[in-house]
Amino acid sequence: GFADFQTLTELLQLHAMLGSGRSEEWRATVDELAGRGVALADLLDFYVGLFRNMPNFQPSKSTTRDVVRGAVIPQTARLGYGKRRHHVKPASAEETLDDIPGDCAYATRVNRGKPKEPNKLLTHTWGGKFV
């Protein structure tokens, strides 16, 4: 089963091998998904930020769907004037918020567009409680 694999990347690489007749686009997508790790510190920052960025967030009641619509999408979508609604600060004086990817996956956003291999797999259901 899945427990036999050391990393999510190994599982996705096996999936890619099994799909050897697949298109390059399919393979690129598998590679991109395998690089969507999020550090625990970033996940905890996100959680703390929910109380500020999502005023109606209730740990005992809010679902994954609520958090995605109320926090994740607004934090990963560009605004009309090119800035994003996100607490990420530029990494250096040369980098601006416009250099950080917008309209992307949350993991891509917090990792500033660089792949990060996860070492644990966390899953969810849309209707399940977020916490």
Side-chain angles (χ1 to χ4, degrees):
F2 293 131
D4 296 335
F5 295 95
Q6 295 298 313
T7 67
L8 176 60
T9 300
E10 287 178 6
L11 179 61
L12 290 172
Q13 286 171 344
L14 175 65
H15 192 253
M17 274 186 355
L18 294 174
S20 61
R22 305 285 179 150
S23 70
E24 286 301 315
E25 180 182 2
W26 183 85
R27 288 186 188 144
T29 300
V30 169
D31 289 343
E32 193 268 330
L33 291 172
R36 285 193 183 175
V38 176
L40 179 58
D42 290 325
L43 187 58
L44 293 173
D45 285 346
F46 175 78
Y47 177 74
V48 169
L50 284 175
F51 296 94
R52 178 180 61 253
N53 300 323
M54 190 177 157
N56 59 343
F57 176 68
Q58 297 178 34
S60 64
K61 294 183 180 178
S62 294
T63 64
T64 299
R65 181 180 292 108
D66 297 333
V67 172
V68 166
R69 290 185 176 155
V72 174
I73 291 171
Q75 291 181 21
T76 56
R78 285 185 183 268
L79 297 176
Y81 54 89
K83 301 292 182 198
R84 284 84 163 170
R85 292 178 238 181
H86 195 273
H87 64 278
V88 170
K89 302 220 182 332
S92 68
E94 295 81 33
E95 182 181 51
T96 69
L97 280 176
D98 288 322
D99 296 323
I100 301 171
D103 294 335
C104 62
Y106 185 79
T108 303
R109 178 88 164 112
V110 297
N111 295 324
R112 293 176 159 50
K114 295 182 178 111
K116 179 176 181 62
E117 183 177 314
N119 56 19
K120 300 286 183 210
L121 176 62
L122 179 67
T123 189
H124 62 277
T125 60
W126 290 106
K129 290 182 185 160
F130 183 72
V131 178

